[in-house]
Amino acid sequence: QVQLQESGPGLVKTSETLSLTCTVSGGPVSRAGNYWSWIRQTPGKGLEWIGYIYYSGTTNYNPSLKSRVTISVDTSRNQFSLKLRSVTAADTAVYYCARDGQYGSEYYFDYWGQGTLVTVSS
Amino acid sequence: EIVLTQSPATLSLSPGERATLSCRASQTVNSYLAWYQQKPGQAPRLLIYDASKRATGIPARFSGSGSGTDFTLTINSLEPEDFAVYYCQQRSNWPPDTFGPGTKVDIK
């Protein structure tokens, strides 16, 4: 059974960088056919996909966040990470990591972490 | 970016009743649509993918239908554990994939 767990600071200062790590257990992040995503949720904007990474390092980001986001993977630690630069209060959200599992010709989020609340404040 | 609209925003029903939830896309997503269930304090859970296929372990009372721009999630005979928020998500034209705003199914 695949499990994901987010970790990182729950409070980030305005204009600084939000950094989160997702630790995966129950299967390797390097398994072919799976992508690994970050998603966030706010009361105002709902669920918002941030981006994904493949174990090879290939990434794809939401255009609305692309200029501020970097997702990386560490296969030796079975982890992937999110960095979001120049944060504002609008980046306050519950951040989830999730696996994009392949279902037929598409990918859907079939395993999720429990989520971690990150608050941005001065 | 494809915009997903869900209706109604809230559905008040009693256990044993049928719930019918709607998701409409601003342009065609073919059948690349998923439904997720989210309970308070939990992450979303994949229920339906490719518009009509149940994910592993999902009870048969959950069914999905539709293609193109109009989709429906039906929950036959609501169980107490089914009262939650339901989101649709499209994976047809991405990035970005997008989610609907959700429908809350609560107890009448």
Side-chain angles (χ1 to χ4, degrees), chain A residues 17-120:
Chain A
T17 297
L18 180 160
S19 296
L20 295 174
T21 295
C22 182
T23 301
V24 180
S25 58
V29 294
S30 56
R31 175 172 293 161
N34 294 324
Y35 291 77
W36 304 92
S37 279
W38 286 98
I39 298 155
R40 67 183 184 180
Q41 185 172 31
T42 62
K45 292 191 71 176
L47 289 160
E48 180 179 33
W49 173 75
I50 299 170
Y52 73 60
I53 191 163
Y54 196 58
Y55 76 93
S56 62
T58 298
T59 56
N60 211 327
Y61 301 132
N62 190 321
S64 69
L65 298 167
K66 188 174 183 177
S67 63
R68 300 194 290 133
V69 172
T70 301
I71 298 176
S72 58
V73 65
D74 185 339
T75 56
S76 66
R77 295 180 181 232
N78 224 36
Q79 295 175 334
F80 62 106
S81 298
L82 168 70
K83 290 191 186 298
L84 181 64
R85 296 175 291 278
S86 304
V87 297
T88 69
D91 294 309
T92 294
V94 175
Y95 286 77
Y96 294 100
C97 56
R99 188 184 84 164
D100 289 48
Q102 188 171 15
Y103 290 77
S105 59
E106 254 310 335
Y107 294 81
Y108 297 97
F109 304 121
D110 57 356
Y111 290 97
W112 297 64
Q114 65 186 28
T116 187
L117 173 63
V118 179
T119 301
V120 179

Side-chain angles (χ1 to χ4, degrees), chain B residues 24-51:
Chain B
R24 176 164 289 178
S26 60
Q27 61 190 81
T28 182
V29 299
N30 298 298
S31 293
Y32 299 125
L33 187 110
W35 290 93
Y36 297 83
Q37 175 194 67
Q38 187 177 33
K39 297 179 181 178
Q42 297 184 17
R45 176 175 71 142
L46 178 65
L47 298 176
I48 301 286
Y49 66 94
D50 284 355

